[in-house]
Amino acid sequence: MNTSFRFLILTIFIALGFITSCNDDITEEEKSSVNNNNIASTDTSSTGSNPTEPPPPYDADEIDKINPEDLSRQIKEIGEKIETLEKESKKQFDEYYQMAEFQKKILENIKVKKMIMRSKPVGSEEEKKAKKDFEDEKKYGREKLKGLKEKNIILYKITRSITKARNEKEKLEQKQEYLLKRQKEKIN
């Protein structure tokens, strides 16, 4: 019973993390579309600097030293890294869910073996054999649960890497937008 309760908690946390992660993606997409709309409206409506506009996020000397091609290459590389990590994440999630289903079957087998063990006469050879089968199944379930926990850790690390890469890509894209804006200002 204790094993199944731990498994249930683990599964709930994974599901909540996945749902939260999906919601974060939607929120980030909505924010970027709103930001893109705001940037487009300020670019077309104003010819000079807008006093309500936030101060530049980068030092002007620093931004002038950046090679736009290098910046584009870095953004592309991070995008490819994110894509690779997402593929790996999907593969690991699929394996995790297969392992979780297998764990559920093991738990059902443990319940059945426990009922069989209790149905045998106390002290009989049948009870001893049923008890040994029950203990072996519990041991096997614990071993498989360790694998499930390890898979959970792998998924956590991959998800964390994806989030870190997305944040890094977003910062580079902001830097690129600012660089393009500075170049347009220099031309005008």
Side-chain angles (χ1 to χ4, degrees):
M1 189 66 180
N2 193 11
T3 303
S4 65
F5 186 71
R6 286 183 191 162
F7 173 74
L8 179 63
I9 290 173
L10 181 65
T11 304
I12 289 171
F13 278 105
I14 293 271
L16 288 174
F18 182 71
I19 291 168
T20 304
S21 161
C22 291
N23 287 342
D24 288 346
D25 293 345
I26 292 169
T27 306
E28 288 175 10
E29 289 175 11
E30 290 171 354
K31 284 180 184 176
S32 68
S33 69
V34 168
N35 286 341
N36 289 340
N37 290 342
N38 289 342
I39 289 169
S41 66
T42 48
D43 286 346
T44 57
S45 65
S46 64
T47 54
S49 65
N50 188 349
T52 60
E53 213 174 83
Y58 309 104
D59 179 24
D61 293 333
E62 174 191 329
I63 208 73
D64 289 336
K65 293 177 185 176
I66 295 174
N67 184 347
E69 293 169 0
D70 287 343
L71 195 57
S72 294
R73 182 185 45 77
Q74 287 176 339
I75 291 170
K76 182 181 177 188
E77 287 173 357
I78 290 176
E80 290 170 353
K81 178 182 176 182
I82 291 170
E83 191 176 312
T84 303
L85 286 169
E86 285 175 341
K87 286 178 185 175
E88 181 65 22
S89 175
K90 183 183 180 327
K91 177 184 156 220
Q92 295 291 334
F93 265 114
D94 290 344
E95 290 175 8
Y96 175 82
Y97 287 120
Q98 288 174 353
M99 291 171 74
E101 286 301 314
F102 190 69
Q103 187 71 20
K104 287 178 188 177
K105 290 177 185 174
I106 291 172
L107 292 174
E108 286 300 317
N109 287 343
I110 288 172
K111 287 179 188 177
V112 169
K113 292 190 185 281
K114 188 173 186 178
M115 287 190 313
I116 291 172
M117 179 185 71
R118 288 184 176 174
S119 69
K120 302 297 179 185
V122 177
S124 68
E125 286 299 317
E126 294 171 332
E127 183 203 24
K128 289 177 184 176
K129 183 183 179 314
K131 187 173 185 174
K132 183 183 180 324
D133 289 346
F134 170 70
E135 293 298 327
D136 289 346
E137 193 69 23
K138 274 178 41 178
K139 183 178 177 183
Y140 181 66
R142 283 189 198 112
E143 290 170 5
K144 292 298 178 181
L145 185 60
K146 285 179 188 175
L148 194 63
K149 287 178 182 179
E150 289 170 6
K151 184 65 73 173
N152 186 23
I153 291 169
I154 291 169
L155 284 169
Y156 171 74
K157 288 179 180 178
I158 290 173
T159 304
R160 207 169 84 194
S161 296
I162 290 171
T163 303
K164 185 178 177 181
R166 282 183 181 158
N167 291 339
E168 187 178 340
K169 183 180 178 190
E170 186 179 326
K171 287 177 185 176
L172 288 174
E173 287 172 341
Q174 288 173 351
K175 194 179 273 191
Q176 186 179 42
E177 283 179 32
Y178 184 72
L179 179 64
L180 292 173
K181 186 177 176 183
R182 287 265 306 157
Q183 288 175 347
K184 283 182 184 178
E185 288 174 358
K186 283 183 179 181
I187 291 170
N188 293 338

